[in-house]
Amino acid sequence: MIKDEVREFLSKRGVVLQDFEATETFSVIDSMGFLELLNTLEENHNRELDLGAFDPDEFRTLGRFCALVESLEKNEKH
């Protein structure tokens, strides 16, 4: 599950969250960390995650980001 992978990524960087869903993505990682997270997810799932077509507000929080990535995976499988 994407949320578990993101939690693991963050915990390896010393970030432990109480309210994962509502936490703003860029309050816990910077832009380079976000690119590292994308790269990690791409490697884990053997696919490219192209977020360029999305409004940045769609991945403003970690919950929204995870939902977006999961929806991309579901759409690809169909």
Side-chain angles (χ1 to χ4, degrees):
M1 184 171 212
I2 298 298
K3 288 180 188 179
D4 294 333
E5 293 177 64
V6 173
R7 282 182 205 270
E8 181 180 342
F9 177 88
L10 294 173
S11 71
K12 286 180 180 178
R13 284 149 184 79
V15 178
V16 179
L17 303 169
Q18 296 298 324
D19 189 2
F20 179 87
E21 294 289 324
T23 298
E24 295 210 6
T25 304
F26 293 104
S27 72
V28 291
I29 55 176
D30 60 13
S31 56
M32 288 302 294
F34 186 72
L35 293 175
E36 289 175 27
L37 173 58
L38 283 178
N39 186 56
T40 297
L41 293 173
E42 288 175 339
E43 287 178 0
N44 289 351
H45 295 268
N46 198 30
R47 66 182 306 273
E48 185 177 335
L49 297 172
D50 182 11
L51 301 180
F54 295 94
D55 182 326
D57 193 52
E58 293 184 78
F59 47 90
R60 183 175 50 92
T61 65
L62 292 172
R64 285 179 159 189
F65 172 72
C66 292
L68 176 63
V69 172
E70 288 175 357
S71 73
L72 290 172
E73 286 195 335
K74 287 178 186 174
N75 289 338
E76 186 176 276
K77 290 179 183 177
H78 291 118

Coordinates of all heavy atoms in Angstrom, one line a residue:
M1 N 0.8 -1.2 0.0 CA 0.0 0.0 0.0 C 0.9 1.2 0.0 O 1.9 1.3 0.7 CB -0.9 0.0 1.2 CG -1.9 1.1 1.3 SD -3.1 0.8 2.6 CE -4.5 1.6 1.9
I2 N 0.5 2.2 -0.8 CA 1.3 3.4 -1.0 C 1.6 4.1 0.4 O 2.7 4.6 0.6 CB 0.6 4.4 -2.0 CG1 0.5 3.7 -3.4 CG2 1.4 5.7 -2.1 CD1 1.8 3.3 -4.0
K3 N 0.5 4.3 1.2 CA 0.7 4.9 2.5 C 1.8 4.3 3.3 O 2.6 5.0 3.9 CB -0.6 4.9 3.3 CG -1.7 5.9 2.7 CD -2.9 5.8 3.5 CE -4.0 6.6 2.8 NZ -5.3 6.5 3.6
D4 N 1.8 3.0 3.3 CA 2.9 2.3 4.1 C 4.3 2.6 3.5 O 5.2 2.8 4.3 CB 2.6 0.8 4.1 CG 1.4 0.4 4.8 OD1 0.9 1.2 5.8 OD2 0.8 -0.6 4.5
E5 N 4.4 2.7 2.2 CA 5.7 3.0 1.6 C 6.1 4.4 1.9 O 7.3 4.6 2.2 CB 5.6 2.8 0.1 CG 5.4 1.3 -0.3 CD 5.3 1.1 -1.8 OE1 6.2 1.4 -2.5 OE2 4.2 0.7 -2.2
V6 N 5.2 5.3 1.9 CA 5.5 6.7 2.2 C 5.9 6.8 3.7 O 6.8 7.5 4.0 CB 4.3 7.7 1.8 CG1 4.6 9.1 2.3 CG2 4.1 7.6 0.3
R7 N 5.1 6.2 4.6 CA 5.5 6.2 6.0 C 6.9 5.7 6.2 O 7.6 6.2 7.0 CB 4.5 5.4 6.8 CG 3.2 6.1 7.0 CD 2.3 5.1 7.9 NE 0.9 5.4 7.7 CZ 0.2 6.2 8.5 NH1 0.8 6.9 9.4 NH2 -1.1 6.4 8.3
E8 N 7.2 4.6 5.6 CA 8.5 4.0 5.7 C 9.6 4.9 5.2 O 10.6 5.1 5.8 CB 8.6 2.6 5.0 CG 9.9 2.0 5.1 CD 10.0 0.7 4.3 OE1 9.0 0.1 4.0 OE2 11.2 0.2 4.1
F9 N 9.4 5.5 4.0 CA 10.3 6.5 3.5 C 10.6 7.6 4.5 O 11.7 8.0 4.7 CB 9.7 7.1 2.2 CG 10.6 8.1 1.5 CD1 11.6 7.8 0.6 CD2 10.3 9.5 1.8 CE1 12.4 8.8 0.1 CE2 11.1 10.5 1.2 CZ 12.1 10.1 0.4
L10 N 9.5 8.2 5.0 CA 9.6 9.3 6.0 C 10.3 8.8 7.3 O 11.1 9.6 7.8 CB 8.2 9.9 6.3 CG 7.6 10.6 5.1 CD1 6.2 11.0 5.4 CD2 8.4 11.8 4.6
S11 N 9.9 7.7 7.8 CA 10.5 7.2 9.0 C 12.0 7.0 8.9 O 12.7 7.2 9.9 CB 9.8 6.0 9.5 OG 10.1 4.8 8.8
K12 N 12.5 6.6 7.8 CA 13.9 6.4 7.5 C 14.6 7.8 7.6 O 15.8 7.8 7.8 CB 14.2 5.8 6.2 CG 13.9 4.3 6.1 CD 14.2 3.7 4.8 CE 13.8 2.2 4.8 NZ 14.1 1.7 3.4
R13 N 13.9 8.9 7.5 CA 14.4 10.2 7.5 C 14.1 10.9 8.9 O 14.2 12.1 9.0 CB 13.9 11.0 6.4 CG 14.6 10.7 5.1 CD 13.7 10.8 3.9 NE 14.5 10.4 2.7 CZ 14.6 9.1 2.3 NH1 14.1 8.1 3.1 NH2 15.3 8.8 1.2
G14 N 13.6 10.1 9.8 CA 13.3 10.5 11.2 C 12.0 11.3 11.3 O 11.8 11.9 12.3
V15 N 11.1 11.1 10.4 CA 9.8 11.8 10.4 C 8.7 10.8 10.8 O 8.5 9.8 10.1 CB 9.4 12.4 9.0 CG1 8.1 13.0 9.1 CG2 10.5 13.4 8.6
V16 N 8.1 11.0 12.0 CA 7.0 10.2 12.5 C 5.8 11.1 12.6 O 5.9 12.2 13.3 CB 7.4 9.5 13.8 CG1 6.2 8.7 14.3 CG2 8.6 8.6 13.6
L17 N 4.7 10.8 12.1 CA 3.5 11.7 12.0 C 2.4 11.1 12.8 O 2.1 9.9 12.8 CB 3.1 11.9 10.6 CG 4.2 12.4 9.7 CD1 3.7 12.4 8.2 CD2 4.5 13.9 10.1
Q18 N 1.7 12.0 13.5 CA 0.4 11.6 14.2 C -0.7 11.7 13.2 O -1.6 10.8 13.2 CB 0.2 12.6 15.3 CG 1.2 12.6 16.4 CD 1.3 11.2 17.1 OE1 0.3 10.5 17.3 NE2 2.5 10.8 17.4
D19 N -0.8 12.7 12.4 CA -2.0 12.8 11.5 C -1.4 12.8 10.0 O -1.3 13.8 9.4 CB -2.7 14.2 11.7 CG -4.0 14.3 10.9 OD1 -4.3 13.3 10.2 OD2 -4.6 15.3 11.0
F20 N -1.1 11.6 9.6 CA -0.5 11.4 8.3 C -1.4 12.0 7.1 O -0.9 12.7 6.3 CB -0.4 9.9 8.0 CG 0.2 9.5 6.7 CD1 1.6 9.5 6.5 CD2 -0.6 9.3 5.6 CE1 2.1 9.2 5.3 CE2 0.0 8.9 4.4 CZ 1.3 8.9 4.2
E21 N -2.7 11.8 7.1 CA -3.6 12.2 6.1 C -3.5 13.7 5.8 O -3.5 14.2 4.7 CB -5.0 11.8 6.3 CG -5.2 10.3 6.3 CD -5.1 9.7 5.0 OE1 -5.5 10.3 4.0 OE2 -4.6 8.5 4.9
A22 N -3.5 14.5 6.9 CA -3.7 15.9 6.8 C -2.3 16.7 6.8 O -2.3 17.9 6.5 CB -4.5 16.5 8.0
T23 N -1.2 15.9 7.0 CA 0.1 16.6 7.0 C 0.4 17.1 5.6 O 0.3 16.4 4.6 CB 1.2 15.6 7.4 OG1 0.9 15.2 8.8 CG2 2.5 16.2 7.4
E24 N 0.8 18.4 5.5 CA 1.2 19.0 4.2 C 2.5 18.3 3.8 O 3.5 18.3 4.6 CB 1.3 20.5 4.4 CG 0.0 21.1 4.7 CD -0.2 22.5 4.1 OE1 0.7 23.0 3.4 OE2 -1.3 23.1 4.4
T25 N 2.5 17.9 2.6 CA 3.7 17.1 2.0 C 5.0 17.9 2.2 O 6.0 17.4 2.7 CB 3.4 16.8 0.5 OG1 2.2 16.1 0.4 CG2 4.5 16.0 -0.1
F26 N 5.0 19.2 1.8 CA 6.2 19.9 1.9 C 6.5 20.5 3.2 O 7.5 21.3 3.4 CB 6.2 21.0 0.8 CG 6.3 20.3 -0.6 CD1 5.2 20.3 -1.4 CD2 7.4 19.7 -1.1 CE1 5.2 19.6 -2.6 CE2 7.5 19.1 -2.3 CZ 6.3 19.0 -3.1
S27 N 5.8 20.1 4.3 CA 6.1 20.5 5.6 C 7.1 19.5 6.2 O 7.7 19.7 7.2 CB 4.9 20.7 6.5 OG 4.3 19.5 6.8
V28 N 7.1 18.3 5.6 CA 7.9 17.2 6.2 C 9.1 16.8 5.2 O 10.0 16.2 5.7 CB 7.1 16.0 6.5 CG1 6.2 16.3 7.7 CG2 6.3 15.4 5.4
I29 N 9.0 17.2 3.9 CA 10.1 16.9 3.0 C 10.2 18.1 2.1 O 9.2 18.8 1.8 CB 9.9 15.6 2.2 CG1 8.6 15.6 1.4 CG2 10.1 14.4 3.0 CD1 8.4 14.4 0.5
D30 N 11.4 18.4 1.7 CA 11.6 19.5 0.7 C 11.5 18.9 -0.7 O 11.1 17.8 -0.9 CB 13.0 20.1 0.9 CG 14.2 19.2 0.7 OD1 14.0 18.1 0.2 OD2 15.3 19.5 1.1
S31 N 11.7 19.8 -1.7 CA 11.5 19.4 -3.1 C 12.4 18.2 -3.5 O 12.0 17.3 -4.2 CB 11.6 20.6 -4.0 OG 12.9 21.2 -3.9
M32 N 13.6 18.2 -3.0 CA 14.5 17.1 -3.3 C 14.1 15.8 -2.7 O 14.1 14.8 -3.3 CB 16.0 17.4 -2.9 CG 16.7 18.5 -3.8 SD 16.7 18.0 -5.5 CE 17.8 16.6 -5.5
G33 N 13.6 15.9 -1.5 CA 13.0 14.8 -0.8 C 11.8 14.2 -1.5 O 11.6 13.0 -1.6
F34 N 11.0 15.1 -2.0 CA 9.8 14.7 -2.8 C 10.2 14.0 -4.0 O 9.6 12.9 -4.4 CB 9.0 15.9 -3.2 CG 7.7 15.6 -3.8 CD1 6.6 15.0 -3.1 CD2 7.5 15.8 -5.2 CE1 5.4 14.7 -3.7 CE2 6.3 15.5 -5.8 CZ 5.2 14.9 -5.0
L35 N 11.3 14.4 -4.7 CA 11.8 13.7 -5.9 C 12.3 12.4 -5.5 O 12.1 11.4 -6.3 CB 12.8 14.6 -6.6 CG 12.3 15.8 -7.3 CD1 13.5 16.7 -7.9 CD2 11.3 15.5 -8.4
E36 N 13.0 12.3 -4.4 CA 13.5 11.0 -3.9 C 12.3 10.1 -3.6 O 12.4 8.9 -3.9 CB 14.3 11.2 -2.6 CG 15.7 11.9 -2.9 CD 16.4 12.1 -1.6 OE1 16.2 11.4 -0.6 OE2 17.2 13.1 -1.6
L37 N 11.3 10.6 -3.0 CA 10.1 9.8 -2.7 C 9.5 9.2 -4.0 O 9.2 8.1 -4.1 CB 9.1 10.6 -1.9 CG 7.7 9.9 -1.7 CD1 7.9 8.6 -0.9 CD2 6.8 10.9 -0.9
L38 N 9.3 10.1 -5.0 CA 8.8 9.7 -6.3 C 9.7 8.6 -6.9 O 9.2 7.6 -7.4 CB 8.7 10.9 -7.3 CG 7.6 11.8 -7.1 CD1 7.6 13.0 -8.1 CD2 6.2 11.1 -7.2
N39 N 11.0 8.8 -6.9 CA 11.9 7.8 -7.4 C 11.8 6.5 -6.7 O 11.8 5.4 -7.3 CB 13.3 8.3 -7.3 CG 14.3 7.4 -8.0 OD1 14.2 7.1 -9.2 ND2 15.3 7.0 -7.3
T40 N 11.6 6.5 -5.4 CA 11.5 5.3 -4.6 C 10.2 4.6 -5.0 O 10.2 3.3 -5.2 CB 11.4 5.6 -3.1 OG1 12.7 6.2 -2.7 CG2 11.2 4.4 -2.2
L41 N 9.1 5.3 -5.1 CA 7.8 4.7 -5.5 C 7.9 4.1 -6.9 O 7.4 3.0 -7.2 CB 6.7 5.7 -5.4 CG 6.4 6.1 -3.9 CD1 5.3 7.2 -4.0 CD2 5.9 4.9 -3.1
E42 N 8.6 4.9 -7.8 CA 8.7 4.4 -9.2 C 9.5 3.1 -9.2 O 9.1 2.1 -9.9 CB 9.4 5.4 -10.1 CG 8.5 6.6 -10.3 CD 9.2 7.7 -11.1 OE1 10.4 7.8 -11.1 OE2 8.5 8.5 -11.7
E43 N 10.6 3.0 -8.5 CA 11.4 1.8 -8.4 C 10.6 0.6 -7.8 O 10.7 -0.5 -8.3 CB 12.7 2.1 -7.7 CG 13.7 2.9 -8.4 CD 14.9 3.2 -7.6 OE1 15.1 2.7 -6.5 OE2 15.8 3.9 -8.2
N44 N 9.9 0.9 -6.7 CA 9.1 -0.1 -6.0 C 8.0 -0.7 -6.9 O 7.7 -1.9 -6.8 CB 8.5 0.4 -4.7 CG 9.5 0.7 -3.7 OD1 10.7 0.3 -3.8 ND2 9.1 1.3 -2.6
H45 N 7.5 0.1 -7.8 CA 6.3 -0.3 -8.6 C 6.7 -0.5 -10.1 O 5.8 -0.8 -10.9 CB 5.2 0.7 -8.4 CG 4.7 0.7 -7.0 ND1 3.6 -0.1 -6.6 CD2 5.1 1.4 -5.9 CE1 3.4 0.1 -5.3 NE2 4.3 1.0 -4.9
N46 N 8.0 -0.3 -10.4 CA 8.4 -0.5 -11.8 C 7.6 0.3 -12.8 O 7.2 -0.2 -13.8 CB 8.5 -2.0 -12.1 CG 9.4 -2.2 -13.3 OD1 10.3 -1.5 -13.5 ND2 9.0 -3.2 -14.1
R47 N 7.4 1.6 -12.5 CA 6.6 2.4 -13.4 C 6.9 3.9 -13.1 O 7.4 4.2 -12.0 CB 5.1 2.2 -13.2 CG 4.6 2.7 -11.8 CD 3.1 2.4 -11.7 NE 2.3 3.0 -12.7 CZ 1.8 4.2 -12.7 NH1 2.0 5.0 -11.7 NH2 1.0 4.6 -13.6
E48 N 6.7 4.7 -14.1 CA 6.9 6.1 -14.0 C 5.7 6.8 -13.5 O 4.6 6.5 -13.9 CB 7.3 6.7 -15.4 CG 7.7 8.2 -15.3 CD 8.1 8.7 -16.6 OE1 8.5 8.0 -17.5 OE2 8.0 10.0 -16.8
L49 N 5.9 7.7 -12.5 CA 4.8 8.5 -12.0 C 5.0 9.9 -12.5 O 5.8 10.7 -12.0 CB 4.9 8.5 -10.4 CG 4.7 7.2 -9.8 CD1 5.0 7.3 -8.3 CD2 3.3 6.6 -10.0
D50 N 4.1 10.3 -13.5 CA 4.2 11.6 -14.1 C 3.1 12.5 -13.4 O 1.9 12.3 -13.7 CB 4.0 11.5 -15.6 CG 4.0 12.8 -16.3 OD1 4.5 13.8 -15.6 OD2 3.7 12.9 -17.5
L51 N 3.5 13.4 -12.6 CA 2.6 14.2 -11.9 C 2.4 15.6 -12.5 O 1.7 16.4 -12.1 CB 3.0 14.4 -10.4 CG 3.2 13.2 -9.6 CD1 3.6 13.5 -8.2 CD2 1.9 12.4 -9.5
G52 N 3.1 15.8 -13.7 CA 3.1 17.0 -14.4 C 1.7 17.5 -14.8 O 1.5 18.7 -15.0
A53 N 0.8 16.6 -15.1 CA -0.5 16.9 -15.5 C -1.5 17.3 -14.4 O -2.6 17.6 -14.7 CB -1.1 15.8 -16.4
F54 N -1.0 17.2 -13.2 CA -1.9 17.5 -12.0 C -1.6 18.8 -11.4 O -0.5 19.3 -11.4 CB -1.7 16.3 -11.0 CG -2.1 15.0 -11.5 CD1 -1.2 14.1 -12.1 CD2 -3.4 14.6 -11.5 CE1 -1.6 12.9 -12.6 CE2 -3.9 13.4 -12.0 CZ -2.9 12.5 -12.5
D55 N -2.6 19.4 -10.8 CA -2.5 20.6 -10.0 C -1.8 20.2 -8.7 O -2.1 19.2 -8.1 CB -3.9 21.1 -9.7 CG -3.9 22.4 -8.9 OD1 -3.0 22.6 -8.1 OD2 -4.9 23.2 -9.1
P56 N -0.7 21.0 -8.4 CA 0.0 20.7 -7.1 C -0.9 20.6 -5.9 O -0.5 19.9 -4.9 CB 1.0 21.9 -7.0 CG 1.2 22.3 -8.4 CD -0.2 22.1 -9.1
D57 N -2.0 21.2 -5.9 CA -2.9 21.1 -4.7 C -3.4 19.7 -4.6 O -3.8 19.3 -3.5 CB -4.1 22.0 -4.9 CG -4.9 22.2 -3.6 OD1 -4.3 22.5 -2.6 OD2 -6.1 22.0 -3.7
E58 N -3.4 18.9 -5.6 CA -3.8 17.5 -5.6 C -2.9 16.6 -4.8 O -3.2 15.5 -4.4 CB -4.0 16.9 -7.0 CG -5.2 17.5 -7.7 CD -5.4 16.9 -9.0 OE1 -6.0 15.8 -9.1 OE2 -5.0 17.5 -10.0
F59 N -1.6 17.1 -4.5 CA -0.7 16.3 -3.7 C -0.1 17.2 -2.6 O 0.9 17.0 -2.1 CB 0.4 15.6 -4.5 CG 1.1 16.4 -5.5 CD1 2.2 17.1 -5.2 CD2 0.6 16.4 -6.8 CE1 2.9 17.9 -6.2 CE2 1.3 17.2 -7.8 CZ 2.4 17.9 -7.5
R60 N -0.9 18.2 -2.2 CA -0.5 19.1 -1.1 C -0.4 18.4 0.2 O 0.5 18.7 1.0 CB -1.5 20.3 -1.0 CG -1.2 21.3 0.1 CD -2.2 22.5 0.1 NE -3.5 22.0 0.1 CZ -4.2 21.8 1.2 NH1 -3.7 22.1 2.4 NH2 -5.5 21.4 1.2
T61 N -1.3 17.5 0.5 CA -1.2 16.7 1.8 C -0.7 15.3 1.4 O -0.9 14.8 0.3 CB -2.5 16.6 2.5 OG1 -3.4 15.9 1.8 CG2 -3.0 18.0 2.9
L62 N -0.1 14.6 2.4 CA 0.3 13.2 2.2 C -0.8 12.3 1.8 O -0.7 11.4 1.0 CB 1.1 12.7 3.4 CG 2.4 13.4 3.7 CD1 2.9 13.0 5.1 CD2 3.4 13.1 2.6
G63 N -2.0 12.5 2.5 CA -3.2 11.7 2.1 C -3.6 11.9 0.7 O -3.9 10.9 0.0
R64 N -3.6 13.1 0.2 CA -4.0 13.4 -1.2 C -2.9 12.8 -2.1 O -3.3 12.3 -3.2 CB -4.1 14.9 -1.4 CG -5.4 15.5 -0.9 CD -5.4 17.0 -1.2 NE -6.7 17.5 -1.1 CZ -7.1 18.7 -1.4 NH1 -6.2 19.5 -1.9 NH2 -8.3 19.1 -1.3
F65 N -1.7 13.0 -1.8 CA -0.6 12.4 -2.6 C -0.8 10.9 -2.8 O -0.7 10.4 -3.9 CB 0.8 12.8 -2.0 CG 1.9 12.1 -2.7 CD1 2.3 12.5 -4.0 CD2 2.6 11.0 -2.1 CE1 3.3 11.8 -4.7 CE2 3.6 10.4 -2.8 CZ 4.0 10.8 -4.0
C66 N -1.0 10.2 -1.7 CA -1.1 8.8 -1.7 C -2.3 8.4 -2.5 O -2.3 7.4 -3.3 CB -1.2 8.2 -0.3 SG 0.3 8.3 0.6
A67 N -3.4 9.1 -2.4 CA -4.7 8.8 -3.1 C -4.4 9.0 -4.6 O -4.9 8.2 -5.4 CB -5.8 9.6 -2.6
L68 N -3.7 10.0 -5.0 CA -3.4 10.3 -6.4 C -2.5 9.2 -7.0 O -2.8 8.7 -8.0 CB -2.6 11.6 -6.5 CG -2.2 12.0 -7.9 CD1 -3.4 12.2 -8.8 CD2 -1.4 13.3 -7.8
V69 N -1.5 8.8 -6.2 CA -0.6 7.7 -6.7 C -1.4 6.4 -6.9 O -1.3 5.7 -7.9 CB 0.6 7.5 -5.8 CG1 1.4 6.3 -6.2 CG2 1.5 8.7 -5.9
E70 N -2.2 6.1 -5.9 CA -3.1 4.9 -6.0 C -4.0 4.9 -7.2 O -4.3 3.9 -7.9 CB -3.8 4.6 -4.7 CG -2.9 4.2 -3.6 CD -3.5 4.0 -2.2 OE1 -4.7 4.4 -2.1 OE2 -2.8 3.6 -1.3
S71 N -4.6 6.1 -7.4 CA -5.5 6.2 -8.6 C -4.8 6.1 -9.9 O -5.3 5.5 -10.8 CB -6.3 7.6 -8.5 OG -5.4 8.6 -8.9
L72 N -3.5 6.6 -10.0 CA -2.8 6.4 -11.2 C -2.5 4.9 -11.4 O -2.6 4.4 -12.6 CB -1.4 7.1 -11.1 CG -1.5 8.6 -11.1 CD1 -0.1 9.2 -10.8 CD2 -2.0 9.1 -12.5
E73 N -2.2 4.2 -10.4 CA -2.0 2.7 -10.5 C -3.2 2.0 -10.9 O -3.2 1.1 -11.8 CB -1.4 2.1 -9.2 CG 0.0 2.5 -8.9 CD 0.6 1.7 -7.9 OE1 -0.1 1.1 -7.0 OE2 1.9 1.6 -7.9
K74 N -4.4 2.3 -10.4 CA -5.6 1.7 -10.7 C -6.0 2.0 -12.2 O -6.4 1.1 -12.9 CB -6.8 2.2 -9.8 CG -6.7 1.6 -8.4 CD -7.8 2.1 -7.6 CE -7.6 1.7 -6.1 NZ -8.6 2.3 -5.2
N75 N -5.8 3.2 -12.6 CA -6.1 3.6 -14.0 C -5.2 2.9 -15.0 O -5.6 2.5 -16.1 CB -6.0 5.1 -14.2 CG -7.1 5.8 -13.5 OD1 -8.2 5.3 -13.3 ND2 -6.9 7.1 -13.3
E76 N -3.9 2.6 -14.6 CA -3.0 1.9 -15.5 C -3.4 0.5 -15.7 O -3.2 -0.1 -16.7 CB -1.6 2.0 -14.9 CG -0.6 1.4 -15.9 CD 0.8 1.6 -15.4 OE1 1.4 2.7 -15.7 OE2 1.4 0.7 -14.8
K77 N -3.9 -0.1 -14.6 CA -4.3 -1.6 -14.7 C -5.5 -1.8 -15.5 O -5.8 -2.9 -16.0 CB -4.5 -2.1 -13.3 CG -3.2 -2.2 -12.5 CD -3.5 -2.7 -11.1 CE -2.2 -2.7 -10.3 NZ -2.4 -3.1 -8.9
H78 N -6.3 -0.8 -15.8 CA -7.5 -1.0 -16.6 C -7.3 -0.7 -18.0 O -6.5 -0.1 -18.6 CB -8.7 -0.1 -16.1 CG -9.2 -0.5 -14.7 ND1 -9.1 0.2 -13.6 CD2 -9.7 -1.7 -14.4 CE1 -9.6 -0.4 -12.6 NE2 -9.9 -1.6 -13.0

